[in-house]
Amino acid sequence: MSEPAATGNGRREVTVSDVAVAAGVSKATAARALGDYGAVSDAVRDRVLGAADRLGYRPNALARTMSTGRSNTLGIVVGDIENPFFAQATRGAADVAAAAGFDLILSNSDEDLETEAKAIGVQLAKRVDGLLVASASSVETENLRSVVDAGRPLVLFDRTAQGVEVDSVIAANRSGARELTSLLVDAGHRRVAFISTMTHPTDFDRSAVVATSSVAERIEGFLDALTAGGIEHPERHVHLNARREGVERMATRLLTGPEAVTAIVASDSLIALGVFRAARELGLQIPRDLSLVAFDDADWTGVATPGITVMAQPIHEIGAEAAELLIRRVRGDGRPPVTRVLKQHLVERQSVAPPASPG
Amino acid sequence: MSEPAATGNGRREVTVSDVAVAAGVSKATAARALGDYGAVSDAVRDRVLGAADRLGYRPNALARTMSTGRSNTLGIVVGDIENPFFAQATRGAADVAAAAGFDLILSNSDEDLETEAKAIGVQLAKRVDGLLVASASSVETENLRSVVDAGRPLVLFDRTAQGVEVDSVIAANRSGARELTSLLVDAGHRRVAFISTMTHPTDFDRSAVVATSSVAERIEGFLDALTAGGIEHPERHVHLNARREGVERMATRLLTGPEAVTAIVASDSLIALGVFRAARELGLQIPRDLSLVAFDDADWTGVATPGITVMAQPIHEIGAEAAELLIRRVRGDGRPPVTRVLKQHLVERQSVAPPASPG
DNA sequence: ATGAAAGCGCTAACAT
DNA sequence: ATGTTAGCGCTTTCAT
């Protein structure tokens, strides 16, 4: 340990001790003045603060965490910060955290369990006071259990997890999907596809367990609507693994041939964008040749021609609410876990019409 | 310090000492095995690792940082993570950081100097090994100086800062703006407006110092093109403070009345979106009634009707390159600071046409 | 109100 | 190869 507290350029950090010496008081007194706790006389406080200022003292949050056991930091693990959904949810959480005096550490899981495990490991190692996670899997929950086992408060958002008894904040995906899909069915569509990028080992069948609960619920709502519309084998209309095949490629496949679909429900706005592009590429007009609806009121859905009808989620609020619940837990709230379900709302635009050739 | 290492639920953390005792070795040996450094016999390593596993040992990264002086963490301060530009740049940086074994801590500055100061303070307090920042001001640089003074490596991205001698990664904004604006001027437009949300105390005049260097450079390029086109008083065509007035409101103002502009250069894709909406609201057709160009190849610019002609920036690369430079500095690179200027490239779509009533 | 000293969990000399 | 010990910067008893 030749230069323990040395920075890259070889300069040593200014510590409480340095300030104490400069102010002619004990370390403890200096620390009290600097950390704004305990009792310090005004005169001494001024002297200490002055010295700190002069020396350019910067508190070491790590050392503080070491002795107090609290980091005043929350962690958040999202699929991909570039996804506008996660960006907005993160912003909602960050604002609440900041208002409560907490910092936020962000990690991407890439919707991959191993990457998620690493991300969580890092956060735990950094001793965050609590963790917000949109888990890569609602079924394989060891990653989440490890957080609970480590004794750290955990709040799930966007997705719940089976058998993990913690607070969760999600949207009413099933009813939202039902409403969205009904628009299509009621317009007369029979060949309707649901597209998700969710990774899944096989083709979808009714007994399948879709790893992400939010997607699973949307599928349920979708099936509800098809069933209500008297459409047989509704499960055959669900198409997963769009990431593997490529959204545009899958959309192109579904939109061509004798069995081409006349309507599509996109599981999120990124998928809808791929479908939109594929349709344009094929020379198909929305809504004449294809009716398209999606989740999330992304920027482009309002300015595209035609505007896309979407089910909007209160994304900021999801993040904010999750952060609020987490902070409450960090502060010692011991009530039984709650699951908050936030409403979605329909934004009708011009992307839905009856099918050209009914059937 | 009644329960120093206790977690929220009162459980005590498992430490190196605990593992050492369980494995029947000294703390140092256990630490060596756990931290994967120093020399440990295979037999002992297995024993230690086994014990650690059994006890559920989780390394404390904070303690490690305390003794090594390195956190293996980089900080990044952006204007707003919800802005796709920053989301992408952050992702680029995060990927490079992760590949090099660094974590990333994110803060939003809201393009506000005070908030930025706080954010930087937090990062410094957490002893990040280095800092990436897109500064709220390229002119008032005390925040950045404080980083340099603290001896932490600093890399600027998207924006440079006057008199702060550190690595920077920016895009070729002036030439990009010149090219983009020339499209308009060459098409015959004379009443062309440049819109930015940049806060500025007064109306723009030639001597004004625009706080954000990237915007300042875009303005220069814009003026270059107007001047080359023989347009007088080009500076009167620059409109700042669009955030204060509201982008749509400002666009509406500029697009109506006898002096209505026939073309607009939007300083970023969010502004362009506001202009697009305002135009639609006014019943103006692009490009017949209004030619619109912007920076950044955002999703919507490709699916809107008509497609918007944009100057695309290598956003990921900006973040990635910045992170690379920073990591190099953290590792001790002492070469003089460099400024990397990345090329922009034009994506021509259908939003530019000659003005309806020339002049 | 102030000071002395111990301790947070870890690493790094320095022995052995 | 392993153990002993000091120390990172801070907070917190416990005295005074």
Side-chain angles (χ1 to χ4, degrees), chain A residues 210-232:
Chain A
V210 173
T212 304
S213 68
S214 51
V215 174
E217 283 165 21
R218 284 171 195 182
I219 292 174
E220 288 304 323
F222 172 77
L223 296 176
D224 289 349
L226 291 203
T227 302
I231 295 174
E232 289 184 19

Side-chain angles (χ1 to χ4, degrees), chain B residues 80-97:
Chain B
D80 176 9
I81 191 59
E82 264 188 83
N83 182 326
F85 176 89
F86 289 123
Q88 286 181 55
T90 299
R91 194 45 146 88
D95 289 345
V96 167

Side-chain angles (χ1 to χ4, degrees), chain A residues 147-220:
Chain A
V147 177
V148 175
D149 290 348
R152 297 286 156 186
L154 168 68
V155 172
L156 270 19
F157 69 98
D158 186 48
R159 307 150 187 194
T160 53
Q162 292 174 5
V164 181
E165 305 280 311
V166 300
D167 295 334
S168 311
V169 180
I170 57 174
N173 285 298
R174 183 165 185 166
S175 58
R178 196 184 300 133
E179 191 179 347
L180 207 46
T181 309
S182 295
L183 250 34
L184 270 15
V185 174
D186 292 351
H189 292 274
R190 311 289 295 173
R191 294 202 302 276
V192 183
F194 179 98
I195 302 184
S196 164
T197 40
M198 209 55 246
T199 303
H200 196 70
T202 62
D203 278 351
F204 181 79
D205 69 90
R206 199 90 205 202
S207 71
V209 179
V210 173
T212 304
S213 68
S214 51
V215 174
E217 283 165 21
R218 284 171 195 182
I219 292 174
E220 288 304 323

Side-chain angles (χ1 to χ4, degrees), chain A residues 113 116 120 135-149 154 156 160-165 211:
Chain A
L113 275 174
E116 179 181 276
I120 288 178
S135 183
S137 174
S138 303
V139 184
E140 297 182 60
T141 58
E142 326 84 53
N143 289 347
L144 304 177
R145 303 214 151 287
S146 76
V147 177
V148 175
D149 290 348
L154 168 68
L156 270 19
T160 53
Q162 292 174 5
V164 181
E165 305 280 311

Side-chain angles (χ1 to χ4, degrees), chain B residues 89-154:
Chain B
T90 299
R91 194 45 146 88
D95 289 345
V96 167
F102 285 84
D103 311 318
L104 198 64
I105 298 186
L106 169 88
S107 303
N108 297 109
S109 72
D110 291 337
E111 304 289 2
D112 172 75
L113 275 174
E114 268 186 59
T115 309
E116 179 181 275
K118 254 190 232 165
I120 288 178
V122 168
Q123 307 260 23
L124 254 21
K126 286 202 186 308
R127 294 304 190 255
V128 294
D129 289 335
L131 218 39
L132 255 13
V133 3
S135 183
S137 174
S138 302
V139 185
E140 297 182 59
T141 58
E142 326 83 52
N143 289 347
L144 304 177
R145 304 213 151 286
S146 75
V147 178
V148 175
D149 290 349
R152 296 286 155 185
L154 169 69

